[in-house]
């Protein structure tokens, strides 16, 4: 005979808090502003969870304050540029 399983629901995490009126990363005040991964996700091609995983795996530059990971506006701009695909153009022929 086996013992019955507990019928507790799995523990759910609360939704991350996102501050209001955040400066855009491209603006002068946004370049030095510290965003959480979930706040920065709206300007990147990643979700908040994926961006948090990228920061935790140390795949890109970030700011660590001893407890939480943050990303500055300048780092967001660099991250977006790193994942931007440029169109290919043939070099101009020289008249030699």
């Amino acid at each position: 005979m086996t013992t019955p399983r507990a019928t507790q629901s799995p523990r759910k995490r609360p939704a991350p808090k996102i501050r209001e009126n955040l400066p855009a990363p491209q603006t002068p005040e946004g370049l030095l502003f510290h965003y959480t991964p979930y706040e920065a996700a709206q300007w990147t091609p990643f979700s908040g969870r994926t961006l948090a995983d990228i920061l935790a795996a140390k795949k890109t530059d970030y700011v660590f304050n001893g407890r939480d990971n943050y990303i500055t506006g300048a780092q967001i701009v660099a991250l977006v540029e790193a994942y931007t695909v440029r169109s290919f153009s043939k070099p101009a022929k020289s008249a030699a």
Side-chain angles (χ1 to χ4, degrees), residues 23-57:
Q26 302 87 350
T27 61
E29 61 272 0
L31 288 175
L32 298 176
F33 191 83
H34 289 80
Y35 302 89
T36 66
Y38 293 93
E39 293 169 344
Q42 62 182 328
W43 290 290
T44 65
F46 305 109
S47 67
R49 180 63 202 184
T50 302
L51 192 55
D53 290 341
I54 289 172
L55 298 182

Side-chain angles (χ1 to χ4, degrees), residues 3-12:
T3 58
R5 297 183 109 194
T7 57
Q8 265 183 333
S9 63
R11 184 175 147 197
K12 293 184 180 179

